[in-house]
């Protein structure tokens, strides 16, 4: 095991002081453990700097001594990008003490926050200021803005508001040599050279450490309509997305696919859930519209969408939430999908995207291809089909041994990704590469693109000290 | 004068054949002349390749021989980025023969076009397919998509739909070594490493040649409301933007500032223009709302916005267009502003941005500062204040000699940019750097950022053959 020399550790401790160091093994554990328990990293120290200057001083010291760093936010990532490897020669730099809301500028519709702000706290600060910060993901109660930025987080409001990348106007970044890039601009237009902030968004901490950001705020929606509709197949769901976008004029906030198989699992295992429709149908869509002004027109719009859907045979049955409680009940069906799947044994998760127009063909072909490999596998394909993003998560056949099923993860993944490739998609829509998909991506991405990525990495982090081995294989 | 060796020119000619070469001086002139007649470049040849493969072959040959290239679209840029220098050692590569619409995917809401497509043709192809491609700029009848991408074009619909950067899903790019990067993905979510397309958008052809793009389409608005309102001052205009955004829930498509001084120039010089309001007021706003469904609610929303404005004393008078013709008449007032200014003698143009919340203070202070330098100067500050972007264009004092006024361009610019800096703004909001602002930007931008830009340039174009000397000074 490589070791970081004791004098370097002492100097690092000195930068942040006692308050900023965690060295007790038990206290360190949550920072070293990937939250699904897939990886257990090793690190001599967790550093928790309190300011951008402290972050910069740490990175300067690491650059000087060739010491490796793993920047960490809420450690809720799904591809292992936020925990160190097992070698023991990486320092975890947690941004969690940097959680100030530095500024809210209402006329500019911006909020400036530090990287360690928890997403929910940003949502709440916006709400208290009479605005909306629209990013909405499952981990919002514990994930941090710096992580959201570094993974270009997605979630259930992308259809209307975009990914995290689309919500950023400016960044403050500590570069791999310890210099600070003061890019905290609150400008909606700025064409003065290369848009450097784009490099750090989605880079999973491999090109620098994001310490603060200027984020966009939006008007709070005054009217929200939620519907749950049964559709004959995925193609009909996609066609309904077109209808909904056209009739509402982009007021569709959420458009989520729910398969009957997954709904059954939820109804079976999750308390206080009920089938909102009477008959059994193979596919459902949870749809939300929102509008800034409550004129009653939104309800009318939703009704018009559903009526058109009935008439075209694309909606078989539907219900509209008549209250906030009913809306929450519908959302719960969608949001409990992952949890419910756990009670059904092993499942093999894929977060993939294809063009929206290929969604139906992709789900059909990939399902058949996986079931052909392991007969009896139950395909639970659900999620953000409005963005062309589906969580394609086969559950084990009921009678199969869990481990025997999970042992075939790579074979199943290979079949799913073959179909992703066929339909021009991505093997990681929302979750990034981290270490989980680092080597896999090389099989699916244009070698020219891989080489460009390596060039960018070498150019900004020539010593390879920033989250080394994540996203790109240093040997590759 | 440097010369490109005859055998290299012969080899370049051979790549594209006779159809793809312009060598006659008269025919070459439009490709070498900046459209405001500020610069007249020199080049031995204009190459007009017909395919991505031909572009790649040209670039490979240039990389092999160290020959410099200037990629060119519609040549409507405003900072000189699209014409060669005067040295005669650069080849102009015009994308104008590559103007195919490769694909329209309605369910994915995307259109795939080649770089040489004229913007208006893309708008029209979208319209014929029942969709909207929302980019709207003055040069739309002649500018090309490749140029729009390379300058990250803005325009009058940015408030609702974003800049060009926000309208792109994928790119095909010929890299400075002649390899093709096939990044034409139609995905709304793809987190598999660095988002390389962002590098080429807004890079003004200095990092590679964009040959095709996948662009986003939107539903066509079914209802549009246009209003022209008099406001007491810029601060009131900005406050009204907030009111309009909140009451409409982001249905504001356009929010343009019009100063009385500029309106007077339009009424004086442009045929068929009329003051739509009775009294004289210092400032006006042209506002447009649009909605996907025509329920009558949009008119009601516009009225509600204006009523709230009246009640708060932020709207002094207003008119709503009752017909398409009336709407066009209001737009004409805004769109004739630059033309009208020409008849008033010399004007010194600045395309700047600041946070929306600083707009009023910026305009007030910069105006005072410039008038203090040249008393009698008439400040015409107009444009996209909804994006924090104003065209700050002082017109000469009526009695002053035109050339004497224009001779003070740099002094005036310095004062404007000092105020831009003070308010955290950008000295080029929409138009890029090109050669016009290449050296100026160094005074206003963080040296760390300049150095990062240089590193990216060196990393992707180590020979500096792609539009050399634009954006970055190779000596600097």
């Amino acid at each position: 095991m490589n070791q970081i020399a004791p004098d370097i550790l002492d100097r690092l401790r000195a930068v942040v002081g006692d308050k900023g160091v965690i060295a007790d093994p038990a206290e360190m554990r949550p920072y070293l453990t990937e939250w699904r328990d897939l990886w257990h990293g090793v690190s001599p120290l967790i550093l928790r700097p309190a300011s951008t200057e402290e972050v910069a001083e740490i990175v300067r010291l690491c650059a000087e001594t060739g010491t490796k760093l793993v920047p960490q936010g809420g450690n809720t990532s799904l591809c292992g990008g936020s925990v160190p490897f097992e070698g023991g020669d990486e320092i975890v730099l947690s941004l969690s003490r940097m959680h100030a809301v530095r500024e809210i500028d209402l006329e500019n519709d911006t909020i400036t926050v530090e990287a360690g702000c928890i997403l929910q706290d940003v949502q709440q600060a916006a709400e208290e200021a009479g605005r909306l910060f629209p990013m909405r993901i499952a981990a919002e109660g514990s994930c941090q803005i710096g992580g959201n930025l570094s993974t270009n987080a997605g979630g259930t409001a992308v259809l209307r508001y975009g990914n995290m990348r689309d919500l950023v106007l400016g960044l403050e970044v500590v570069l791999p040599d310890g210099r600070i890039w003061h890019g905290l601009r609150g400008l909606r237009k700025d064409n003065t050279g290369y848009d450097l902030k784009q490099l750090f968004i989605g880079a999973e901490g491999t090109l620098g450490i994001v310490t603060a950001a200027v984020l966009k705020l939006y008007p709070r929606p005054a009217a929200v309509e939620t519907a749950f509709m049964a559709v004959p197949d995925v193609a009909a769901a996609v066609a309904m997305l077109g209808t909904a976008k056209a009739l509402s004029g982009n007021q569709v906030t959420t458009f989520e696919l729910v398969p009957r198989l997954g709904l059954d699992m939820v109804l079976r295992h999750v308390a206080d859930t009920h089938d909102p429709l009477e008959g059994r149908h193979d596919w459902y869509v949870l749809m939300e519209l929102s509008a800034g002004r409550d004129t009653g027109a939104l309800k009318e719009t939703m009704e018009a969408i559903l009526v058109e859907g009935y008439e075209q045979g694309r909606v078989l049955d539907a219900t509209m939430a008549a209250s906030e409680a009913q809306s929450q009940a519908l959302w719960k069906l969608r949001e409990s999908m992952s949890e419910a799947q756990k009670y059904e044994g092993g499942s093999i998760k894929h977060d993939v995207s294809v063009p929206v127009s290929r969604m139906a063909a992709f789900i059909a072909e990939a399902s058949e291809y996986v079931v052909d490999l392991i007969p009896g596998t139950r395909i639970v394909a659900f999620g953000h089909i409005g963005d062309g993003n589906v969580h394609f998560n086969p559950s084990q056949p009921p009678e199969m041994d869990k481990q025997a099923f999970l042992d075939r993860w790579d074979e199943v993944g290979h079949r799913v990704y073959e179909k992703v490739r066929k339909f021009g998609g991505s093997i990681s829509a929302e979750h990034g590469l981290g270490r989980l998909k680092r080597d896999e991506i090389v099989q699916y991405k244009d070698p020219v693109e891989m080489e460009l990525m390596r060039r960018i990495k070498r150019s900004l982090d020539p010593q390879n000290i920033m989250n080394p081995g994540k996203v790109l294989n240093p040997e590759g």
Side-chain angles (χ1 to χ4, degrees), chain A:
Chain A
M1 188 180 280
N2 300 309
Q3 293 284 338
I4 301 173
D7 68 303
I8 296 175
L9 293 178
D10 288 344
R11 289 171 66 194
L12 288 169
R13 285 168 183 271
V15 174
V16 292
D18 285 348
K19 271 189 181 166
V21 178
I22 299 176
D24 174 75
E27 283 180 59
M28 284 169 70
R29 197 163 302 127
Y31 296 86
L32 300 175
T33 309
E34 193 266 351
W35 81 279
R36 287 191 295 198
D37 229 19
L38 287 178
W39 293 288
H40 302 266
V42 178
S43 178
L45 278 184
I46 315 294
L47 296 178
R48 298 176 68 229
S51 67
T52 304
E53 290 65 34
E54 286 186 6
V55 175
E57 205 174 327
I58 292 167
V59 178
R60 272 196 303 275
L61 216 155
C62 288
E64 178 202 321
T65 56
T67 305
K68 300 171 187 171
L69 273 171
V70 179
Q72 187 179 90
N75 195 18
T76 63
S77 74
L78 291 161
C79 293
S82 57
V83 288
F85 284 91
E86 293 73 22
D89 60 343
E90 295 173 285
I91 298 285
V92 174
L93 189 156
S94 163
L95 279 300
S96 52
R97 278 175 77 208
M98 291 181 59
H99 51 67
V101 172
R102 290 196 192 162
E103 192 193 4
I104 295 182
D105 182 340
L106 287 180
E107 282 197 322
N108 200 40
D109 267 335
T110 47
I111 185 168
T112 305
V113 300
E114 293 183 342
C117 277
I118 288 172
L119 172 53
Q120 206 164 61
D121 294 340
V122 178
Q123 293 167 342
Q124 200 171 329
E127 187 172 342
E128 283 163 11
R131 293 291 189 278
L132 173 75
F133 181 66
M135 173 66 43
R136 194 161 71 176
I137 60 178
E140 62 197 22
S142 52
C143 66
Q144 294 171 14
I145 289 296
N148 299 154
L149 288 161
S150 295
T151 56
N152 184 28
T156 54
V158 170
L159 188 54
R160 177 74 167 277
Y161 299 99
N163 295 287
M164 194 67 184
R165 185 180 302 279
D166 304 298
L167 303 175
V168 185
L169 294 182
L171 290 184
E172 177 185 271
V173 179
V174 175
L175 301 170
D177 56 12
R179 288 179 306 170
I180 301 169
W181 172 45
H182 297 282
L184 273 188
R185 292 188 278 263
L187 303 175
R188 282 176 169 72
K189 285 184 178 170
D190 177 19
N191 276 333
T192 53
Y194 312 148
D195 191 4
L196 296 171
K197 68 175 176 291
Q198 305 293 348
L199 281 171
F200 304 102
I201 300 167
E204 306 187 35
T206 61
L207 298 178
I209 302 177
V210 175
T211 50
V214 182
L215 306 174
K216 294 187 202 168
L217 297 176
Y218 288 84
R220 292 194 69 72
V224 175
E225 293 291 337
T226 313
F228 192 79
M229 52 192 186
V231 294
D233 49 36
V234 179
V238 168
M240 281 308 296
L241 173 68
T243 301
K245 285 207 273 189
L247 290 185
S248 72
N250 262 2
Q251 291 183 306
V252 187
T253 321
T254 293
F255 198 90
E256 299 279 313
L257 185 70
V258 173
R260 180 72 222 184
L261 211 59
L263 182 61
D264 281 338
M265 292 178 183
V266 169
L267 297 175
R268 220 165 16 238
H269 301 293
V270 182
D272 298 322
T273 56
H274 309 280
D275 191 338
L277 299 177
E278 291 208 347
R280 284 179 65 85
H281 304 281
D282 287 345
W283 297 97
Y284 301 85
V285 169
L286 175 73
M287 176 164 66
E288 192 185 272
L289 306 182
S290 63
R293 188 142 184 270
D294 189 3
T295 60
L298 196 69
K299 189 162 179 239
E300 201 183 299
T301 302
M302 181 66 97
E303 285 163 357
I305 293 166
L306 296 177
V307 165
E308 185 154 329
Y310 283 122
E311 284 171 359
Q312 295 170 332
R314 289 171 182 157
V315 173
L316 305 173
D317 194 6
T319 180
M320 280 171 66
S323 66
E324 176 64 22
Q326 282 184 21
S327 166
Q328 280 174 9
L330 296 177
W331 270 96
K332 189 171 182 180
L333 299 175
R334 159 66 184 86
E335 290 180 334
S336 305
M337 200 79 27
S338 289
E339 184 195 341
Q341 242 189 316
K342 274 195 234 171
Y343 298 104
E344 298 280 335
S347 67
I348 300 178
K349 296 180 192 300
H350 308 91
D351 169 48
V352 301
S353 65
V354 294
V356 176
S357 51
R358 313 289 174 90
M359 187 55 83
F362 165 74
I363 291 179
E365 288 196 20
S367 298
E368 192 184 329
Y369 201 34
V370 169
V371 171
D372 184 62
L373 182 71
I374 309 178
T377 298
R378 296 164 297 167
I379 305 295
V380 181
F382 67 97
H384 326 300
I385 61 160
D387 315 311
N389 177 198
V390 65
H391 298 306
F392 190 91
N393 298 350
S395 269
Q396 66 169 81
E399 67 290 350
M400 192 173 176
D401 174 68
K402 180 178 176 182
Q403 197 53 48
F405 181 73
L406 292 179
D407 285 347
R408 304 188 69 180
W409 190 296
D410 287 348
E411 279 174 89
V412 171
H414 188 69
R415 291 203 158 198
V416 174
Y417 295 157
E418 278 304 303
K419 293 301 181 182
V420 167
R421 186 212 303 267
K422 171 176 173 181
F423 292 107
S426 165
I427 70 162
S428 193
E430 295 191 317
H431 298 165
L433 296 176
R435 64 188 282 188
L436 180 66
K437 298 183 180 176
R438 180 194 78 177
D439 295 326
E440 210 149 24
I441 190 65
V442 178
Q443 301 170 50
Y444 299 97
K445 223 180 180 73
D446 184 346
V448 172
E449 185 160 351
M450 292 305 304
E451 196 267 330
L452 280 177
M453 282 171 52
R454 287 183 189 288
R455 252 200 242 189
I456 297 295
K457 170 71 171 173
R458 275 197 306 270
S459 169
L460 294 190
D461 180 22
Q463 290 193 89
N464 192 27
I465 61 169
M466 297 302 308
N467 214 3
K470 310 289 168 53
V471 180
L472 289 166
N473 187 335
E475 321 292 328

